[in-house]
Amino acid sequence: MARERVDDLVVVLPGILGSRLLDADGKEVWGPSGGAVWRAIHTFGRSVKALTLPSDLGDGHPGDGVRAHGVMPTLHALPGVGPVVDGYTGLLDWLERLFTLRRRRPGEGDDVPANLLAFAYDWRLSCRYNAERLKERVERALSQWRDSAPQRRAARVVFLCHSMGGLVTRYYVECLGGFEITRRVVTLGTPHRGSLSALVHLVDGLRVGWGPWAVQLTDFARSLPSLHQITPDYACLVRPGGLRYPRETAGLMGVDEKLLRDAGAFHAEIRRAAGARPGAAAALLPVVGVRQPTPTTADIVGDRLRPQDTIDGLDEGGDGRVPRLSAAPPGTPTGYTPCEQHGSLQNGSGVRDALWGWLAAEPPYHRTPLHDPVPLGVHAPELLPAGAPYDLTVTVPPEVPGGDELAISATLHPVESGRPLRHTLANRGGGRYATSFSAPAPGPYRVAVAVAGRRDSSVTALLLVGEGDG
């Protein structure tokens, strides 16, 4: 099959945790060593004290020699810091296979043309700092691409951003002049108005079940400007008299109030800059995951948060991590709304069909769905202690015709080794289906939930099973 022509520079940005990190000696401290996600987590846990940031860092670098080195290729997570997320190699390989896009290979010099760039960054640091690094890298890469052939002189930049990568990109585009060379920004599950889950990580910390370094990981998470910058920039805390912004609520345990106020200023900078250029939002295409149970507001109970999936009594859903209300800036039309979970958005077939349409002239006919997909809400943990069963429930909205008469399966695919295990879900009535897998072995899993005979109706959940308290 002939590849679709793309003359622009395409830049892929991962979310928090999505870039590999090396220390000053060139040793990997966060990455897929040996292909094992648990090895990466344990390696990071042993190094976490040295990687914790000073409280007065602001938008700077701590000078500890840590640097980013490539994006995470496969499933990854850091309990208490960020969600379980799939990797980015599949997306990059797909882009090269279907479009005239090419990454620069190791050892190749700047004289070798390349128009596909994976931008890795130190996700511990402020989004402002990483936006400055993005500016340097992208503008140099675009200049090299434009100079490589006369027909490329008019090339611009297309950003494909997952999660927090969209905030880094938007700060560059809106606040650092990037709009002048940008054709469009596609965000996949970006918390444009923040994520309640990030606030829960800061307040509740990593309390049980994840080994002797749980406290160290909690202290590490609370030192990160980046994690504060993806806390909610909307009123989300239930207080007497109504909902309040986190920055309006004093005494939240675990939250650096200075970093929280600065996070509010960060989001305000983007809004002001975008608002100063009428029509600027036309270049922004938010992909918004829907129908998944998503923490949106929270009660304060003692020194902890009790998340709720509703806001003002309404369950608006989201991608399981980013609420629907947050996954696009206010007033910005949504580019696409897949029924998919946050960590799998970048690899979802429907999302890739949408990307095809935005990168190519139009999607081929055979990619047009013959039916409306059945929206599946998948309720299941993403972190599971060793020895515990994996309980999974699927809900189908009552307005879906025949939604209480479906055949739904769930297949547990080990990421690293082992055979997949498939269950047919029991129909509990009223559009609710459920199953339970006996305690899975420790390790990472992809869980494919699908409606029989409907390839267009599937959701991929991610699971990380712990290795006990050692």
Side-chain angles (χ1 to χ4, degrees):
M1 182 178 69
R3 296 191 298 165
E4 290 289 322
R5 179 172 174 174
V6 176
D7 290 329
D8 286 327
L9 172 68
V10 175
V11 182
V12 175
L13 281 85
I16 193 170
L17 304 176
S19 302
R20 300 161 62 188
L21 300 181
L22 305 180
D23 65 15
D25 297 324
K27 182 180 178 181
E28 190 171 75
V29 291
W30 175 245
S33 300
V37 64
W38 269 110
R39 185 177 302 176
I41 292 173
H42 290 166
T43 298
F44 194 89
R46 290 190 294 269
S47 307
V48 72
K49 283 188 176 180
L51 296 167
T52 300
L53 301 178
S55 60
D56 58 350
L57 181 64
D59 296 322
H61 191 284
D64 56 6
V66 174
R67 64 188 188 280
H69 181 70
V71 298
M72 293 289 278
T74 188
L75 187 147
H76 53 280
L78 193 57
V81 178
V84 183
V85 174
D86 217 336
Y88 300 95
T89 297
L91 174 61
L92 292 164
D93 290 346
W94 177 81
L95 289 166
E96 280 192 314
R97 188 169 64 251
L98 270 67
F99 302 94
T100 57
L101 295 169
R102 183 185 185 280
R103 284 170 280 183
R104 186 166 288 128
R105 306 305 190 234
E108 291 183 342
D110 292 346
D111 57 329
V112 178
N115 64 332
L116 177 59
L117 171 65
F119 179 74
Y121 57 94
D122 187 341
W123 43 263
R124 303 175 303 158
L125 307 180
S126 162
C127 291
R128 293 190 191 93
Y129 175 89
N130 284 313
E132 292 278 3
R133 307 291 78 74
L134 178 64
K135 174 183 173 68
E136 296 167 0
R137 182 85 180 276
V138 163
E139 294 180 5
R140 182 172 67 251
L142 181 62
S143 177
Q144 292 165 349
W145 177 245
R146 284 175 169 176
D147 291 344
S148 66
Q151 67 270 25
R152 298 168 183 162
R153 296 295 173 85
R156 297 172 71 82
V157 185
V158 176
F159 291 98
L160 306 182
C161 319
H162 184 233
S163 198
M164 191 176 76
L167 295 180
V168 174
T169 297
R170 286 202 69 216
Y171 193 85
Y172 162 58
V173 170
E174 308 294 1
C175 302
L176 302 179
F179 67 90
E180 296 180 347
I181 60 171
T182 298
R183 190 172 305 281
R184 65 174 55 94
V185 177
V186 179
T187 61
L188 313 177
T190 288
H192 292 278
R193 300 177 67 190
S195 165
L196 184 75
S197 296
L199 187 65
V200 172
H201 281 319
L202 291 170
V203 174
D204 288 4
L206 185 60
R207 300 225 171 187
V208 295
W210 297 97
W213 34 267
V215 173
Q216 294 178 10
L217 277 174
T218 295
D219 291 343
F220 167 77
R222 290 172 174 172
S223 78
L224 304 183
S226 57
L227 191 56
H228 286 79
Q229 286 170 338
I230 57 175
T231 57
D233 190 51
Y234 64 92
C236 67
L237 295 178
V238 180
R239 307 302 294 153
L243 294 172
R244 293 288 183 268
Y245 285 79
R247 60 179 177 270
E248 296 175 335
T249 308
L252 284 175
M253 181 176 176
V255 178
D256 185 314
E257 293 186 8
K258 180 180 178 181
L259 287 179
L260 202 61
R261 289 192 300 272
D262 183 68
F266 167 77
H267 286 277
E269 286 177 61
I270 295 176
R271 285 196 302 272
R272 284 195 301 270
R277 294 183 293 106
L284 178 62
L285 291 168
V287 172
V288 178
V290 297
R291 299 287 188 174
Q292 308 309 309
T294 306
T296 305
T297 59
D299 288 314
I300 302 174
V301 181
D303 62 353
R304 304 190 70 172
L305 297 181
R306 184 172 62 194
Q308 303 176 6
D309 291 351
T310 58
I311 183 167
D312 290 333
L314 298 175
D315 186 348
E316 299 179 345
D319 63 17
R321 183 65 49 173
V322 178
R324 186 167 187 168
L325 67 88
S326 180
T332 301
T334 299
Y336 178 55
T337 53
C339 185
E340 186 56 278
Q341 297 209 340
H342 182 81
S344 302
L345 281 168
Q346 70 275 29
N347 295 323
S349 59
V351 173
R352 291 191 179 174
D353 287 349
L355 292 178
W356 178 292
W358 294 328
L359 289 171
E362 61 181 31
Y365 175 75
H366 75 269
R367 288 177 175 266
T368 303
L370 300 178
H371 309 282
D372 290 332
V374 178
L376 304 177
V378 178
H379 307 245
E382 66 173 17
L383 299 174
L384 194 68
Y390 178 61
D391 298 325
L392 183 145
T393 301
V394 173
T395 55
V396 180
E399 65 269 20
V400 176
D404 57 352
E405 301 174 349
L406 299 172
I408 300 177
S409 66
T411 306
L412 197 66
H413 295 273
V415 170
E416 291 162 359
S417 63
R419 299 177 59 183
L421 182 63
R422 183 178 181 273
H423 280 193
T424 298
L425 276 65
N427 191 333
R428 303 300 190 195
R432 184 174 178 272
Y433 303 78
T435 192
S436 181
F437 291 85
S438 298
Y445 296 83
R446 296 184 183 95
V447 186
V449 181
V451 178
R454 296 292 298 271
R455 296 180 62 186
D456 58 349
S457 299
S458 63
V459 174
T460 300
L462 303 174
L463 169 66
L464 179 62
V465 180
E467 291 189 334
D469 293 330

